[in-house]
Amino acid sequence: MEDVAARVRENLTVPFAEKRMFGGISFMVDDKILVNVRGTGDLLVRVDPARSPELVADHGAEQAEMGAGRSMGPSWLTVTADRVDDDEQLRFWLDVALDFNPRAPARGR
């Protein structure tokens, strides 16, 4: 997890904050979760729900679950660690999340 988190820090080009949550490290932009690096090194990525089908079909993401069989909804995808093992792949997912972040609802809304 720490190696992926270090790479997220190196590749984020906007101001961000970090919080430990969901058993990993969440990277926050404008007080909203951008990505969470899970203990396994997998990423939980917040995306535009309209793009979820494409990102699952064409980029190997999976619908994120909070416990077995409990979908987190179309805005949350899991990207396995092997799909972000180089910086180009990682930057792709950071860019997808950054694109949605300005439109993502803030906590409590």
Side-chain angles (χ1 to χ4, degrees):
M1 168 176 68
E2 290 298 330
D3 58 326
V4 177
R7 290 178 48 237
V8 170
R9 287 181 200 103
E10 292 170 8
N11 281 280
L12 270 177
T13 58
V14 298
F16 64 91
E18 295 180 37
K19 282 189 178 184
R20 290 210 173 256
M21 58 175 67
F22 304 127
I25 302 169
S26 287
F27 290 83
M28 317 280 289
V29 173
D30 294 330
D31 292 322
K32 297 179 271 188
I33 297 173
L34 188 71
V35 298
N36 174 278
V37 180
R38 295 178 163 173
T40 60
D42 294 349
L43 286 185
L44 174 65
V45 184
R46 192 171 192 190
V47 303
D48 181 341
R51 289 198 64 195
S52 283
E54 165 222 339
L55 294 167
V56 169
D58 297 343
H59 298 282
E62 302 169 358
Q63 189 63 55
E65 293 184 348
M66 186 181 303
R70 293 180 44 212
S71 172
M72 291 181 67
S75 288
W76 299 98
L77 298 179
T78 295
V79 180
T80 57
D82 64 319
R83 296 223 175 240
V84 291
D85 61 1
D86 69 46
D87 284 348
E88 184 177 342
Q89 292 170 315
L90 178 61
R91 278 192 299 271
F92 171 82
W93 289 107
L94 293 174
D95 288 345
V96 167
L98 284 165
D99 180 62
F100 179 59
N101 184 265
R103 299 182 316 263
R107 193 179 341 171
R109 289 193 215 169

